[in-house]
Amino acid sequence: MNHLTGTVRIVGAGLLGTSIGLALTKQGFDVVISSQSPKSVDLAVGYGAGRVATETDLPELIVVCVPPAMTAKIVADELVRYPNAVVTDVASVKGSVLHELQASGTPLERYVGSHPMAGRERGGAISGRADLFVGRPWVIASHAGADDRGVDLVADLASHLGSAVVRVGTKEHDRAVALVSHVPQLVSSLLAARLATAATEDIALAGQGLRDTTRIAASDPELWLQILEANADEVLPLLKGFAADLSSLISGFEVREPQAQIRAVMEAGNIGVGRIPGKHGGKHTNYAQVIVMVDDRPGELARLLTEVGEIGINLEELQLEHSPSAQIGLAELYVAQTEAERLTADLVARGWRIA
């Protein structure tokens, strides 16, 4: 297997490009940053994501991190400019990029399409994080003509970033991300759009459920327009299915007898959410939950996490809930079933209140 040892060139200094650079630079790799925005490059370099690209760079691997509409052109340009480098991209739709490259006649032996299943609702270099990809799937959606060396280098890149490599075809990738990423974005945005004209006093009652389901509605509309247009063939059937389920639910409410529809939706939802993998492929249901009341003052959450570490219990998952009108927050700690009783007892002994 070929391993990544040389210079990594990152084209695009946004969230993903900066995060990749930060993680690789911390491990001693020579990372060079290029972008159409000099300000983004300056910010990424200032964060420690790499150095400014020069004309004399000879990259071993090039990672194209630009919006989907620009990806194929930039990939083709990089393949020509650096004839010895492997080129990958992180676009969230793979089929349209590959088809555009094939139509252009660009030799694609050194091109490997990939997609890290990681991100944030905020973009730009300022949002970059070295741990963004840790524990997340990194999809390699290669094509039949790709050299083994290129696939190996992209897999090694994902390994250095702490990701788990998943190899699928472009069609399978686009079908999957439509379900687990693209339609959830639209559903979240549709729900959040109801808040735009809602009464302020109604929104003031918002709890964690609304925050959970609308978090990604803060995403960049222009970026998502490109993503959804590029994957329209896979998104459309899912939207039609969603619309049919919603129509059935509405019909039940209209006749004032929605019990059957509500039960069907809720039970199907229980089954579906139970299939979503958590840390290391596990589910929340595999863990015990301990809810700790945390006073709303500086340093309290850090103290709680420090003391959990002192107790010697591994924290599998952590969720936070806080109401603006309350003087406490709730820290939901997920631990192994066998550790919950000991954690609870030790935290109470240290003065923490368990909800």
Side-chain angles (χ1 to χ4, degrees):
M1 178 176 176
N2 297 279
H3 292 283
L4 184 61
T5 58
T7 296
V8 177
R9 172 178 163 87
I10 297 174
V11 182
L15 169 65
L16 296 184
T18 301
S19 297
I20 293 170
L22 288 169
L24 291 179
T25 300
K26 286 180 64 176
Q27 298 177 53
F29 281 93
D30 178 37
V31 178
V32 300
I33 310 288
S34 174
S35 174
Q36 292 181 344
S37 169
K39 290 184 178 180
S40 294
V41 172
D42 290 345
L43 187 56
V45 170
Y47 272 15
R51 59 181 176 84
V52 178
T54 69
E55 294 296 325
T56 59
D57 295 326
L58 295 174
E60 180 182 26
L61 176 66
I62 299 169
V63 187
V64 176
C65 306
V66 300
M70 301 169 56
T71 296
K73 181 182 184 306
I74 300 298
V75 166
D77 290 346
E78 295 292 308
L79 285 167
V80 172
R81 184 176 182 183
Y82 298 98
N84 296 316
V86 170
V87 180
T88 189
D89 72 283
V90 297
S92 57
V93 181
K94 306 301 348 158
S96 60
V97 173
L98 180 59
H99 295 158
E100 188 176 341
L101 284 167
Q102 291 171 331
S104 72
T106 304
L108 300 179
E109 293 84 359
R110 292 179 289 111
Y111 167 68
V112 179
S114 71
H115 177 210
M117 298 300 295
R120 302 179 68 187
E121 67 275 15
R122 295 178 294 175
I126 196 171
S127 300
R129 290 176 43 173
D131 64 349
L132 185 67
F133 310 101
V134 175
R136 305 300 303 161
W138 190 296
V139 178
I140 295 181
S142 187
H143 58 97
D147 290 341
D148 290 342
R149 168 176 170 261
V151 175
D152 287 349
L153 290 185
V154 176
D156 201 39
L157 167 71
S159 177
H160 280 291
L161 298 176
S163 295
V165 174
V166 179
R167 301 172 191 249
V168 299
T170 55
K171 176 69 174 178
E172 292 76 14
H173 168 272
D174 291 353
R175 182 190 68 226
V177 295
L179 173 66
V180 302
S181 176
H182 300 171
V183 169
Q185 175 64 57
L186 286 173
V187 172
S188 177
S189 294
L190 284 168
L191 176 58
R194 297 293 90 203
L195 306 177
T197 55
T200 301
E201 56 270 26
D202 292 347
I203 299 175
L205 301 180
Q208 195 61 33
L210 183 66
R211 294 184 178 88
D212 287 345
T213 50
T214 60
R215 178 183 60 81
I216 59 174
S219 300
D220 180 7
E222 292 302 319
L223 174 61
W224 274 98
L225 176 61
Q226 294 183 34
I227 293 171
L228 292 165
E229 283 185 332
N231 206 26
D233 289 346
E234 299 295 344
V235 170
L236 181 58
L238 292 171
L239 288 179
K240 287 182 175 179
F242 190 82
D245 291 342
L246 186 59
S247 178
S248 175
L249 194 58
I250 290 171
S251 297
F253 276 95
E254 285 179 336
V255 298
R256 298 297 189 270
E257 291 185 1
Q259 295 89 346
Q261 291 90 339
I262 292 173
R263 181 174 290 107
V265 167
M266 297 297 293
E267 290 178 349
N270 288 164
I271 294 171
V273 78
R275 298 188 65 195
I276 299 174
K279 182 180 178 184
H280 308 313
K283 304 184 182 76
H284 280 332
T285 51
N286 292 339
Y287 307 138
Q289 181 193 59
V290 177
I291 302 178
V292 184
M293 302 171 69
V294 182
D295 289 336
D296 188 8
R297 61 173 184 261
E300 285 298 281
L301 180 59
R303 182 169 70 89
L304 171 63
L305 297 180
T306 298
E307 293 191 5
V308 171
E310 291 173 352
I311 294 168
I313 292 178
N314 186 53
L315 192 58
E316 303 290 348
E317 300 278 358
L318 168 66
Q319 294 183 2
L320 301 174
E321 182 171 352
H322 181 263
S323 171
S325 60
Q327 297 305 308
I328 63 167
L330 299 178
E332 301 177 12
L333 310 181
Y334 291 85
V335 298
Q337 297 279 357
T338 54
E339 300 283 16
E341 186 175 347
R342 179 166 72 91
L343 176 61
T344 299
D346 283 8
L347 288 176
V348 169
R350 291 168 178 254
W352 292 99
R353 293 174 292 167
I354 307 299

